Amino acid sequence: MKNILIDTCSWVDLLDEYDNKLLPHLEFWKDNNYINIICNKVIIDEWSKHKELQRKKFSDSAATKYKHVIEVSKKENISLPHLKPKIENVENQISSIDKLISEAIMVTVDNETKAYISDRTIDRKAPFHNKIESTKDAYIIYSALKHFEGSEEGFIFISANKGDFGNPSNLEIEIHSDIIEHYPTAKIEYYSDIGRAINQLKKDLPMVLSSETENEQPANDVIFIDRTKAILDQLYDYLTAVHKEIMFVPIEIFVNHYPFKNSKYSYSSYNVFTLYTENLAIFDFMKSFNIADNGEIEIIDNTFFEKVIDYETKLKKVLTGLTQNEIFKVSNLQTREGIRIDYNEKKACSCPKCSFEKFLFVNCFTTIEQYDPNDLDDILTLAFLQYKIGNYLKSVELYSIALKKSEAAKYNTRSFLLQFNLHKLSIFIRNSYYGENAKHDLVKELKEINLPYLVGFYETKENSKILNFLNSTAFYTQSKNKIQTLTSKIVDTYYSQLNGGYSSNNYIGELLSEFAIFNSFIRDNGIIYDRFNEYKEIFHVFLEGLFASHAINEKINNTSRLKQFDDWTIKLMLIYGEPDQINKFFRRYKIKKIKYSQSSFYNDDSFIELIDNFFNKNIDLKETFIEIGEKANTAFWNHYSSIFNNILTLVSISEFDFDYINSFAKKLFSFLKDEEVLRETNIKFVNIYLYRCGKDIDIRLLEIFLKNCLLNPKYHNYNFIESIADCINLHKKKIKFSEGEFSQIINISFEECTKCREYHSSIIAVHLYSILDSVDYKGIITKKIKESLQLNFEFQLLHLAVIFDIVELTDDLLNLAIEDAIPKNSQISFRAAMSGEADTRFTEVGNLLNMCFKLDIDLNNEKFLEIKNLGDYYNWLIDIDKFDYDTFNPSWIGEYTTKFYYRKIAGSNKVKAKLEDLLKTNFDSNLEHDYLNIFVRKTWNKD
């Protein structure tokens, strides 16, 4: 007799809306004393809750389908008998499970086991290695282990929660070694899939009497495959059929069919780019050839090809079809032996679609007319390309033509997909065309496309699952849930290893695979979805998973981390990333530099090549776009701007050698000199790039770039000029300017700019002052700043000029600064204005004190009385040693982190003693960091 412990999640998985092929086996075996069901109170309580949720789920599903049937019958004027949605099948199954559980052998959790489980939470051992909230899971497995301890009997444990229970090296059928470390004699079999477990049991136990036989087609087979043919022909016929109308078939549909499944009761699965099959004919066939690194195929066993006509073409078609569906490896389900089969026959391509994806926009636009207007595949490619470009009206026109041709050819799946895209385009047209250019009638027509009705209209036995998969947006919701779960586990692993924990897993492999499936379904099938917020949300979660995994310390755990970013992940970030999100995760996970490894086979879409394409191969882009772009098209330029920002962001955080850093800088500076379409918002990311990479850029390149920027009105921005000057200062070099070049600096900084016909901030001259090699030029700037302050006092200009030793802080200038800095009665701080929350910090007051601390100005006089009265914080700064430290807030010392503030604080023994006392009684890591910088490292005393 076999003992079976079934987790709640697997009882739920057992439910089937239609004819349940698995549950009757459990009932038959239990009724005939072939098995014992093992259970405990946790499972009973959870099943009671979940069965009600499942009732509602199936009831809602039935009601929706019933509604769709009624809509179709009304549209098509079909008379149907009076129907009502039914869920009797599910109700009967729930009753059967209730009965099995009620007759189960109950096991309990004793106090000793509870204490043992509690200890495991501290050590973060399975099932607590991924999340701490796994106590109920622990009760389930350890109550059974304790029950069978010392017994000759073992048990089978079935739980879909493989992340907690499965061994990372074999999540599907092996229990985690941590779980049984204190039960070395335990006889336990583990299965993550209840269908697989029952099918395995059928090999050892009597079968339920049925007219069905093991040789019948699998339950989900809707495509007839002639099994008398050679296995290569069978695979070829299947892939030709499933890829006839769509390029990527949902994985759960693709693998759940003969020849991957032998029968209704056999099992196939997919995990991390791998197809697992019990069909040994497929596995043996895959061993009959070898794929070399250069893509060449070598036949090892000719017997598999002797009866196949044109076997070379068919073999390439099969391998391409599997790879196209994100299957790079085939594994024997029994032995777990795997064979890599990823095959890429791709050659360098310069078609408009590929050119667009490689950032060769000019080539795309100038060759876009090459598509055949009478070929359905060409029309579809061009329609999706026009959507990507942002020509939404042209896209609608082409999709409408394609729909007529598709319906005429009776391509029902493709026709529904086209209707889906037309419906989605209504949103983009509404948002792009407004006012006198609005397309109200077209938007209304597209919005009225009734997708639920069209499911019934186009539905066939062969495409039913795919149409419902697309219409229900299951492709989004399923992937979202999986990607969120996997990223959460990766983040937990990251923080666990920071605290000394260790976990061996393949969450990053699963994450990459899951996103590849999601993205390929959308991209390869030309589905209009990747510009919606839903797609962006999934990508942001995926992105965090990549960064968190890459940040895991390779010395602690090098097997469960993303070792490097390849061309696929980099390209995804270039196209779909947002630089603020990339920077956020880069900082959050404290990564110094990300490691990049080229993976592009032909190098024509590698990270380096894409950068070169963007900067060097889009000459006259603006003029070329005008020829093909719709007037209301801003989408392309948004896309172009986003790619530019992402290139700068990714280069700035990637680990490149000195030569490439300078090669890139040269391309960037040359590009910026002549480009015409970037916006002011793009400059922010040039600044960030210079901040991160400036110290490694050759001083000669920086000098040429600076002088070109002074001639280009787009870059007459003091923050931008500051970034370049800071890079030059890092090299501790001075720049020689000609008289004409220096005159340009004076004109930009103090006069009406001859390039822009407007006045810029004199702060530009402040930032350039430190890199001037001419003492005479510095004197002229000092004189000009003094004159400017006398004519039109500007606090920020004075502050910077004093801090950088350009002008002296005279009493007159100090009085003007105090008057300007002290807030007026109704004035609020910048932080309060932006957040709406009360705040008593004022930027100019802080900068005023910074000047005073630099010059050691005595603050104990009436001039500063109003500042002292602004609150405890300023009262403390004005007189640090006489302050009442009962009201001291330790966070104050980290609010304004200039060298002059730190120097002032470091001079007070009272502050030092107070901080030491606070750290002893109430330790705070941020406070410790500030204390060390001020009193130990003395960072304020370093250049």
Side-chain angles (χ1 to χ4, degrees):
M1 182 174 289
K2 294 185 179 292
N3 301 299
I4 306 175
L5 172 66
I6 304 177
D7 198 355
T8 313
C9 53
S10 294
W11 283 119
V12 170
D13 288 345
L14 198 55
L15 296 174
D16 192 307
E17 186 174 1
Y18 302 105
D19 188 14
N20 196 312
K21 303 294 184 182
L22 298 173
L23 185 57
H25 291 287
L26 290 178
E27 293 179 284
F28 174 77
W29 292 330
K30 180 66 180 69
D31 291 342
N32 290 277
N33 296 319
Y34 291 112
I35 63 171
N36 288 320
I37 300 295
I38 309 300
C39 194
N40 68 15
K41 188 176 184 300
V42 171
I43 295 174
I44 292 174
D45 292 345
E46 289 187 341
W47 169 246
S48 297
K49 177 178 66 176
H50 282 285
K51 70 181 179 182
E52 297 305 323
L53 295 174
Q54 293 302 308
R55 277 194 176 104
K56 185 177 187 308
K57 169 189 166 184
F58 285 111
S59 177
D60 290 347
S61 173
T64 300
K65 291 178 181 178
Y66 170 73
K67 180 181 177 182
H68 290 169
V69 169
I70 296 301
E71 287 182 4
V72 171
S73 67
K74 289 180 179 177
K75 292 269 187 181
E76 301 299 318
N77 197 25
I78 300 172
S79 177
L80 293 174
H82 183 66
L83 299 173
K84 286 187 178 181
K86 296 180 179 181
I87 60 166
E88 281 84 354
N89 277 342
V90 175
E91 286 292 347
N92 291 336
Q93 292 169 47
I94 289 174
S95 296
S96 296
I97 294 173
D98 283 341
K99 183 174 182 292
L100 287 169
I101 290 177
S102 69
E103 297 173 351
I105 295 173
M106 297 299 295
V107 293
T108 59
V109 187
D110 58 25
N111 291 333
E112 180 185 351
T113 303
K114 288 180 179 179
Y116 173 70
I117 290 170
S118 178
D119 291 340
R120 297 186 71 79
T121 65
I122 298 172
D123 297 333
R124 295 303 295 268
K125 289 190 173 183
F128 300 100
H129 56 306
N130 294 320
K131 61 181 189 297
I132 202 68
E133 303 86 5
S134 296
T135 302
K136 290 182 178 179
D137 294 328
Y139 282 179
I140 291 171
I141 185 63
Y142 283 112
S143 61
L145 284 168
K146 185 72 172 178
H147 179 80
F148 287 99
E149 186 178 24
S151 170
E152 288 297 318
E153 295 184 60
F155 67 98
I156 296 168
F157 178 41
I158 305 171
S159 174
N161 193 0
K162 58 186 176 182
D164 286 350
F165 295 119
N167 195 319
S169 64
N170 194 350
L171 288 168
E172 307 294 336
I173 57 170
E174 187 177 327
I175 198 73
H176 199 295
S177 56
D178 283 357
I179 289 176
I180 55 173
E181 62 182 348
H182 285 97
Y183 295 88
T185 61
K187 299 176 182 179
I188 177 172
E189 293 180 49
Y190 171 70
Y191 294 93
S192 66
D193 186 281
I194 193 166
R196 181 176 184 176
I198 291 174
N199 287 329
Q200 189 65 30
L201 282 166
K202 287 191 296 186
K203 297 177 181 179
D204 301 325
L205 300 176
M207 295 282 291
V208 176
L209 294 177
S210 170
S211 60
E212 297 167 345
T213 69
E214 287 287 325
N215 293 320
E216 289 183 331
Q217 291 277 96
N220 292 316
D221 279 8
V222 290
I223 299 170
F224 175 75
I225 302 298
D226 186 350
R227 300 190 185 196
T228 63
K229 289 185 176 182
I231 190 64
L232 174 55
D233 276 324
Q234 293 182 38
L235 288 166
Y236 176 81
D237 290 346
Y238 177 65
L239 289 165
T240 300
V242 296
H243 286 149
K244 180 180 180 181
E245 297 184 50
I246 61 174
M247 297 292 288
F248 184 94
V249 180
I251 283 292
E252 59 268 36
I253 297 173
F254 185 82
V255 304
N256 194 27
H257 199 290
Y258 184 84
F260 306 124
K261 289 185 66 172
N262 280 327
S263 70
K264 290 181 179 181
Y265 307 109
S266 65
Y267 184 82
S268 62
S269 66
Y270 175 91
N271 188 43
V272 191
F273 303 107
T274 302
L275 168 66
Y276 294 88
T277 178
E278 289 180 332
N279 190 342
L280 296 182
I282 291 179
F283 188 73
D284 291 339
F285 167 69
M286 295 300 174
K287 292 195 292 186
S288 71
F289 58 88
N290 180 60
I291 304 172
D293 291 340
N294 63 0
E296 294 293 323
I297 301 175
E298 176 192 5
I299 303 298
I300 298 173
D301 186 348
N302 285 312
T303 58
F304 286 90
F305 304 93
E306 291 173 347
K307 296 181 181 180
V308 180
I309 299 172
D310 196 12
Y311 73 86
E312 290 183 345
T313 299
K314 290 179 178 178
L315 177 57
K316 289 180 179 179
K317 171 76 174 177
V318 167
L319 293 175
T320 300
L322 292 171
T323 302
Q324 174 182 306
N325 235 88
E326 300 294 342
I327 294 172
F328 303 153
K329 186 177 179 181
V330 172
S331 183
N332 183 325
L333 200 54
Q334 299 298 324
T335 66
R336 315 304 287 183
E337 181 185 359
I339 301 172
R340 289 203 65 86
I341 59 153
D342 48 318
Y343 175 76
N344 193 342
E345 201 177 16
K346 175 185 172 185
K347 298 177 181 178
C349 178
S350 59
C351 76
K353 174 179 175 289
C354 290
S355 293
F356 189 86
E357 292 177 348
K358 297 173 192 173
F359 308 158
L360 296 167
F361 301 121
V362 168
N363 188 67
C364 170
F365 299 157
T366 54
T367 61
I368 201 167
E369 299 298 330
Q370 76 175 40
Y371 290 110
D372 184 350
N374 296 309
D375 182 86
L376 179 56
D377 288 335
D378 273 13
I379 296 170
L380 288 172
T381 300
L382 182 56
F384 191 67
L385 178 57
Q386 292 286 14
Y387 152 72
K388 297 292 285 186
I389 293 171
N391 290 335
Y392 301 129
L393 294 178
K394 291 181 181 180
S395 184
V396 167
E397 180 183 352
L398 288 163
Y399 275 129
S400 298
I401 295 170
L403 178 60
K404 292 179 181 178
K405 288 181 174 290
S406 183
E407 289 184 329
K410 299 188 184 303
Y411 292 156
N412 285 14
T413 304
R414 183 172 284 180
S415 296
F416 179 80
L417 192 151
L418 294 172
Q419 296 274 24
F420 182 95
N421 282 353
L422 285 166
H423 181 67
K424 297 301 181 185
L425 278 167
S426 66
I427 298 170
F428 297 102
I429 294 173
R430 181 195 64 200
N431 294 339
S432 300
Y433 293 87
Y434 40 84
E436 61 182 18
N437 296 318
K439 309 294 180 184
H440 296 303
D441 291 344
L442 178 59
V443 170
K444 182 181 179 183
E445 177 187 343
L446 298 177
K447 283 183 68 176
E448 288 179 350
I449 293 174
N450 189 334
L451 293 176
Y453 163 74
L454 290 172
V455 169
F457 184 78
Y458 291 121
E459 191 172 24
T460 65
K461 182 181 179 182
E462 291 78 11
N463 72 8
S464 176
K465 290 195 173 187
I466 293 175
L467 263 56
N468 282 286
F469 184 75
L470 181 59
N471 179 55
S472 67
T473 65
F475 66 90
Y476 162 72
T477 54
Q478 289 180 10
S479 292
K480 177 184 177 183
N481 292 336
K482 291 178 183 177
I483 288 170
Q484 284 180 332
T485 299
L486 288 166
T487 292
S488 177
K489 290 179 177 180
I490 290 170
V491 170
D492 286 346
T493 301
Y494 166 78
Y495 285 111
S496 173
Q497 58 95 34
L498 288 182
N499 296 318
Y502 177 84
S503 173
S504 178
N505 58 68
N506 193 27
Y507 298 142
I508 185 59
E510 293 182 58
L511 180 67
L512 292 168
S513 180
E514 191 58 45
F515 188 83
I517 292 169
F518 169 67
N519 192 59
S520 293
F521 180 74
I522 292 170
R523 177 184 176 276
D524 294 354
N525 292 328
I527 296 171
I528 292 179
Y529 208 78
D530 62 348
R531 286 186 176 165
F532 288 111
N533 286 333
E534 290 88 343
Y535 183 96
K536 293 178 182 178
E537 288 171 5
I538 285 185
F539 185 77
H540 289 162
V541 175
F542 170 67
L543 187 66
E544 179 167 15
L546 296 183
F547 275 86
S549 179
H550 191 58
I552 293 171
N553 191 325
E554 61 184 326
K555 294 180 180 179
I556 297 175
N557 188 344
N558 199 34
T559 61
S560 305
R561 62 187 294 271
L562 181 68
K563 296 179 182 178
Q564 63 264 324
F565 288 80
D566 62 7
D567 287 316
W568 179 68
T569 50
I570 289 289
K571 190 172 182 179
L572 285 171
M573 288 192 282
L574 289 174
I575 296 173
Y576 299 113
E578 293 178 7
D580 288 338
Q581 289 281 343
I582 295 171
N583 282 320
K584 179 176 75 174
F585 296 138
F586 178 73
R587 290 189 297 266
R588 175 178 293 174
Y589 294 103
K590 299 177 175 60
I591 299 172
K592 291 181 179 179
K593 291 286 183 178
I594 67 171
K595 296 185 185 299
Y596 158 70
S597 176
Q598 181 181 314
S599 59
S600 174
F601 189 77
Y602 288 100
N603 195 35
D604 64 338
D605 61 350
S606 69
F607 187 16
I608 309 302
E609 190 69 18
L610 291 174
I611 290 171
D612 189 59
N613 291 346
F614 188 89
F615 285 143
N616 295 340
K617 298 180 181 178
N618 286 310
I619 300 171
D620 299 324
L621 175 61
K622 186 176 180 181
E623 292 74 14
T624 308
F625 177 77
I626 290 172
E627 296 295 320
I628 64 99
E630 294 173 1
K631 289 182 178 180
N633 186 341
T634 60
F636 171 73
W637 295 116
N638 291 337
H639 179 63
Y640 181 83
S641 175
S642 176
I643 292 171
F644 174 82
N645 295 342
N646 288 330
I647 286 175
L648 291 183
T649 302
L650 289 173
V651 169
S652 74
I653 66 174
S654 296
E655 188 176 75
F656 286 117
D657 60 27
F658 179 83
D659 289 341
Y660 184 73
I661 289 172
N662 280 276
S663 172
F664 175 81
K666 189 173 182 179
K667 289 175 186 174
L668 172 64
F669 296 163
S670 176
F671 171 81
L672 291 173
K673 179 183 175 183
D674 301 316
E675 73 81 26
E676 299 176 336
V677 296
L678 289 179
R679 305 153 184 176
E680 193 171 315
T681 53
N682 298 114
I683 301 302
K684 165 187 172 183
F685 299 100
V686 180
N687 291 344
I688 293 174
Y689 160 74
L690 291 171
Y691 171 77
R692 287 175 175 159
C693 301
K695 67 180 183 299
D696 295 320
I697 300 174
D698 191 288
I699 186 68
R700 291 167 294 182
L701 290 176
L702 291 168
E703 178 180 347
I704 294 170
F705 181 49
L706 172 61
K707 291 180 177 180
N708 285 334
C709 289
L710 293 175
L711 295 173
N712 191 331
K714 183 180 289 188
Y715 307 120
H716 291 178
N717 174 290
Y718 71 80
N719 286 322
F720 188 62
I721 298 297
E722 178 188 10
S723 296
I724 306 173
D726 285 347
C727 291
I728 294 171
N729 279 320
L730 289 172
H731 291 269
K732 298 184 179 180
K733 300 284 187 180
K734 304 296 180 184
I735 303 297
K736 185 175 182 178
F737 291 90
S738 67
E739 287 187 15
E741 290 166 343
F742 182 69
S743 296
Q744 180 71 21
I745 292 173
I746 296 300
N747 174 249
I748 294 171
S749 303
F750 301 105
E751 302 165 356
E752 182 181 13
C753 179
T754 56
K755 301 285 185 182
C756 309
R757 298 300 177 190
E758 62 181 64
Y759 288 91
H760 302 298
S761 172
S762 299
I763 292 173
I764 289 175
V766 172
H767 295 308
L768 293 173
Y769 181 90
S770 62
I771 64 171
L772 294 174
D773 78 331
S774 169
V775 175
D776 292 339
Y777 288 168
K778 287 186 175 182
I780 292 171
I781 286 180
T782 296
K783 181 181 177 182
K784 287 286 187 181
I785 290 176
K786 287 180 179 179
E787 291 173 354
S788 179
L789 290 170
Q790 292 296 331
L791 289 172
N792 185 21
F793 181 79
E794 183 185 348
F795 182 90
Q796 189 178 6
L797 175 61
L798 173 67
H799 173 240
L800 293 173
V802 170
I803 293 300
F804 294 123
D805 296 316
I806 300 173
V807 300
E808 294 181 7
L809 184 61
T810 64
D811 286 342
D812 289 342
L813 289 174
L814 177 59
N815 291 335
L816 287 171
I818 293 172
E819 182 182 353
D820 196 83
I822 293 175
K824 310 304 181 284
N825 291 334
S826 59
Q827 185 177 344
I828 61 174
S829 73
F830 177 78
R831 188 188 303 174
M834 297 304 294
S835 66
E837 299 176 358
D839 178 60
T840 56
R841 301 292 184 271
F842 299 90
T843 301
E844 291 189 349
V845 174
N847 290 340
L848 172 65
L849 294 175
N850 193 41
M851 289 190 294
C852 294
F853 292 156
K854 171 184 168 64
L855 301 172
D856 290 322
I857 293 173
D858 183 11
L859 303 181
N860 286 304
N861 62 58
E862 291 185 0
K863 286 183 180 181
F864 299 97
L865 185 59
E866 287 190 66
I867 294 175
K868 188 174 184 179
N869 292 333
L870 287 174
D872 286 342
Y873 172 69
Y874 292 112
N875 185 8
W876 169 66
L877 287 172
I878 295 294
D879 198 346
I880 287 180
D881 286 327
K882 293 183 180 180
F883 182 75
D884 179 6
Y885 278 86
D886 288 340
T887 60
F888 176 70
N889 185 335
S891 67
W892 290 345
I893 68 167
E895 285 198 23
Y896 204 115
T897 56
T898 72
K899 62 187 295 184
F900 306 118
Y901 266 70
Y902 275 8
R903 186 179 70 185
K904 179 71 174 178
I905 296 169
S908 172
N909 290 326
K910 289 192 71 174
V911 174
K912 186 173 185 291
K914 181 66 176 179
L915 294 180
E916 289 172 351
D917 182 58
L918 288 169
L919 287 170
K920 289 177 183 176
T921 57
N922 190 19
F923 179 79
D924 180 272
S925 59
N926 290 327
L927 183 61
E928 181 191 49
H929 180 265
D930 291 332
Y931 173 84
L932 292 173
N933 281 338
I934 296 171
F935 294 102
V936 180
R937 301 188 187 104
K938 298 184 179 180
T939 55
W940 49 269
N941 199 29
K942 300 175 183 178
D943 292 333

